[in-house]
Amino acid sequence: MDCGIITSKTVLLLLSLVFWAAGVSLTYVGAYVIKSYNNFDNFLEDKYTLIPAAIIISVGVVMFIFGLVGCCATIRESKVGLSFFFLIIMVIFAAEVAALVLGFLYQSRINVDLEHSMSEVFMKYDGQNSDSRAVDYLQTQLQCCGVDSPSNWTSTPWFSSHNSTVPRSCCKNITNTECTGRLDQTDLLYGSGCKRMLYQLLQDVLSYAMLVILGFAIIKFFGMLSVCVITCKTGKRRSGYQPLHA
């Protein structure tokens, strides 16, 4: 058997296995991105930032199924099957490239989105409503206080109506009774602003997702080349048969 065909078939069989693994991995990555965004959705006005994650999950689901198609088509050297597999790879490759482009676009919009929404949510803080729970969760999970710093709380209704104090979620140890929320207790309060911390978290999540997509896109590119090699070599080999004459 031609060395090129052996190599290409090996690549495609490995690619079929990668399809199964990638289907599971991409679905997990997409779900992780959506979960990360949903945890802080009160601070994100632009819901279109979830489009790359939706694309990732959709691609992951179909990849698991099409891995079997690629495996059977490669073993049988079916020209129809390989052509269908090539189209599948090309469509998924295009979807992954689209997710990468959208990821880069939305990555630059995260900071603007946070700038417009976080101050508004913090102003609505009253310790009881859903926005308050979101702020408390944000400050506790990211160990931060205020939008840019704890002093941002001075311009909120909560600060003026609660003896010039910040919420207890700003305390490094929320069970510490010594932390009353006064701004002069700098050693007991988180000193970092939440906007920078949340921006960095979302950037890291999106960068991780785009890195995974890029890796799988490169594999798809070599898969398409391998399909072309097998199809061309097989076509030449079959066209070379000559009828036997007695």
Side-chain angles (χ1 to χ4, degrees):
M1 185 180 290
D2 190 280
C3 182
I5 292 184
I6 295 176
T7 303
S8 298
K9 289 182 73 172
T10 302
V11 169
L12 285 180
L13 288 174
L14 290 175
L15 183 61
S16 297
L17 296 177
V18 169
F19 262 61
W20 294 327
V24 176
S25 300
L26 287 176
T27 303
Y28 170 78
V29 169
Y32 176 66
V33 172
I34 291 177
K35 180 182 177 182
S36 298
Y37 274 73
N38 283 343
N39 285 338
F40 308 104
D41 62 349
N42 292 72
F43 309 99
L44 295 166
E45 294 177 343
D46 189 0
K47 302 304 179 184
Y48 291 108
T49 50
L50 294 177
I51 290 180
I55 294 176
I56 295 172
I57 292 178
S58 301
V59 169
V61 171
V62 298
M63 281 180 67
F64 187 82
I65 300 173
F66 289 146
L68 181 61
V69 176
C71 185
C72 295
T74 302
I75 294 174
R76 294 171 59 88
E77 292 187 19
S78 169
K79 192 169 183 179
V80 175
L82 287 172
S83 298
F84 180 60
F85 193 42
F86 179 85
L87 290 175
I88 293 170
I89 298 174
M90 188 169 63
V91 169
I92 294 177
F93 177 79
E96 288 172 340
V97 171
L100 276 174
V101 173
L102 289 172
F104 278 116
L105 291 176
Y106 293 132
Q107 197 172 38
S108 62
R109 295 175 58 176
I110 291 176
N111 196 37
V112 178
D113 191 15
L114 293 177
E115 188 73 39
H116 290 149
S117 59
M118 286 194 74
S119 297
E120 183 179 345
V121 175
F122 273 72
M123 289 295 290
K124 295 178 181 177
Y125 187 92
D126 63 5
Q128 297 179 346
N129 59 25
S130 60
D131 288 322
S132 300
R133 289 190 292 273
V135 170
D136 287 335
Y137 179 81
L138 176 74
Q139 295 188 146
T140 303
Q141 292 297 310
L142 300 186
Q143 300 182 351
C144 58
C145 183
V147 179
D148 296 302
S149 68
S151 61
N152 290 137
W153 278 104
T154 59
S155 60
T156 64
W158 170 271
F159 189 83
S160 58
S161 62
H162 287 77
N163 300 320
S164 300
T165 60
V166 299
R168 287 189 58 80
S169 55
C170 280
C171 296
K172 294 179 180 178
N173 185 355
I174 200 169
T175 60
N176 186 358
T177 56
E178 294 181 6
C179 181
T180 61
R182 296 198 318 271
L183 290 179
D184 58 357
Q185 296 179 316
T186 54
D187 57 330
L188 300 178
L189 300 175
Y190 295 124
S192 301
C194 293
K195 185 178 74 173
R196 181 178 64 83
M197 302 291 285
L198 181 55
Y199 173 74
Q200 188 59 53
L201 172 66
L202 297 179
Q203 284 277 21
D204 291 343
V205 169
L206 202 53
S207 296
Y208 164 69
M210 289 192 295
L211 193 62
V212 172
I213 295 172
L214 178 61
F216 285 125
I218 293 174
I219 295 173
K220 303 297 186 307
F221 177 75
F222 284 106
M224 287 189 289
L225 289 180
S226 298
V227 171
C228 292
V229 170
I230 293 178
T231 303
C232 293
K233 292 281 186 179
T234 303
K236 289 181 180 178
R237 187 174 61 198
R238 288 173 180 169
S239 63
Y241 286 125
Q242 300 294 329
L244 295 176
H245 298 283

